Amino acid sequence: MNPSQYLVFDIETNGLPFDNFDGKRQEYLLRGADNDSDREKRIREMSLSPLTAEIVCIGYMLMSQADNGWKQEKLGAFVLDASVPYGSNVREELPDGGRLIRCSEQQMLVYFWEMLRQFPQSCLASFNGRNFDAPFLMLRSAVLGLRPSRNLMQGTKFNYPLHTDLLDELTFFMPQQSGATRRYNFDFFTKSFGIASPKGEGVDGSKVGELYAQGDLESIASYCLRDVRATWELLIKWKSFLEF
């Protein structure tokens, strides 16, 4: 497969307030946590599940093949702003490029699925998107009563169409805890391939919840788009040297 168009994407998530859950679910979430440290860890891990977390940002970049290489068609981020009602949005330009669209979580998902509907032959590009971002987007949409426009989980573990997950590719679909196909994190892979790490400006995924609580949506969007740009650069490295 040699796609002529890629949609690079990344999401940022934040755990829902623990008090949002009834007593039975709270007990389930904390079951087996024997001390405060364990309980705090369980609550932090809520940000990793679409049943206990919300999407606070979807970053995207649409790249199309051109005569002289690749052309950027779109670059932007949908960011959760609880003050903006469903069906509306507030648009801004980010200082480092790209468009920030503030809207509700439901609205950002509507926009995302519409973009995939608009570009049905675009190949998705991600880092660990097959294992996290894609299932999170699909399940979170269903929880919010939205039907995805594309099945991001079709195919098998080793063969799935219209999606290049660089974590799978760079571990040859055999991620291990050690050895030649060790499952390094994104920061490690980018630095190893000579790409500026998106974490280099002092923001990483662990800071998203804090930034969201402070209302610093611009920093979340900028960080997410740094991830997106670095994913594209890593994809080019893979295509140049390892794609067959």
Side-chain angles (χ1 to χ4, degrees):
M1 183 180 68
N2 190 23
S4 60
Q5 189 175 71
Y6 283 95
L7 179 62
V8 191
F9 75 107
D10 182 55
I11 69 172
E12 306 300 334
T13 64
N14 183 44
L16 293 165
F18 191 66
D19 290 341
N20 279 20
F21 299 89
D22 60 49
K24 288 286 187 181
R25 287 187 295 173
Q26 288 184 3
E27 186 275 331
Y28 181 84
L29 290 169
L30 296 180
R31 190 174 298 168
D34 298 324
N35 53 57
D36 289 343
S37 178
D38 285 347
R39 285 188 284 273
E40 289 172 7
K41 182 175 182 289
R42 292 286 183 85
I43 290 173
R44 285 197 305 271
E45 289 173 345
M46 288 171 59
S47 65
L48 302 177
S49 167
L51 302 188
T52 58
E54 58 193 351
I55 300 171
V56 297
C57 186
I58 305 175
Y60 61 89
M61 181 167 65
L62 184 69
M63 302 294 292
S64 298
Q65 201 162 29
D67 293 338
N68 59 347
W70 292 91
K71 177 184 177 182
Q72 180 182 295
E73 304 278 3
K74 291 178 179 289
L75 176 68
F78 308 120
V79 185
L80 174 59
D81 186 335
S83 69
V84 180
Y86 179 56
S88 301
N89 65 70
V90 177
R91 296 170 182 255
E92 304 171 13
E93 296 299 320
L94 290 166
D96 52 352
R99 174 175 289 179
L100 184 155
I101 301 175
R102 299 170 180 256
C103 55
S104 67
E105 186 184 15
Q106 291 94 327
Q107 191 64 58
M108 77 168 73
L109 286 164
V110 168
Y111 288 145
F112 177 77
W113 296 120
E114 180 55 36
M115 187 160 49
L116 292 192
R117 188 180 289 110
Q118 185 180 355
F119 302 101
Q121 296 307 310
S122 62
C123 180
L124 296 175
S126 70
F127 184 89
N128 199 36
R130 176 74 176 180
N131 292 300
F132 180 72
D133 305 66
F136 200 112
L137 284 161
M138 294 196 71
L139 282 167
R140 189 64 188 158
S141 295
V143 166
L144 296 175
L146 300 171
R147 182 174 178 82
S149 63
R150 185 192 296 188
N151 180 6
L152 304 184
M153 298 305 293
Q154 69 182 110
T156 69
K157 177 177 174 61
F158 303 105
N159 183 20
Y160 45 89
L162 291 180
H163 189 169
T164 299
D165 185 334
L166 289 165
L167 181 58
D168 281 344
E169 298 293 349
L170 294 172
T171 59
F172 299 92
F173 292 82
M174 298 184 296
Q176 304 292 329
Q177 294 298 313
S178 63
T181 60
R182 179 172 172 174
R183 189 186 190 279
Y184 290 101
N185 64 19
F186 189 46
D187 178 70
F188 205 103
F189 269 117
T190 54
K191 289 176 179 175
S192 297
F193 280 91
I195 299 167
S197 171
K199 325 296 182 186
E201 297 189 27
V203 179
D204 59 36
S206 68
K207 305 285 181 61
V208 168
E210 180 183 344
L211 291 169
Y212 183 70
Q214 295 169 357
D216 192 354
L217 305 184
E218 184 177 299
S219 290
I220 295 172
S222 294
Y223 161 65
C224 190
L225 288 182
R226 287 196 297 274
D227 265 1
V228 166
R229 290 187 181 100
T231 300
W232 173 250
E233 292 183 53
L234 191 58
L235 177 74
I236 293 300
K237 293 282 189 179
W238 171 77
K239 288 179 70 66
S240 300
F241 301 109
L242 291 170
E243 183 184 31
F244 288 91

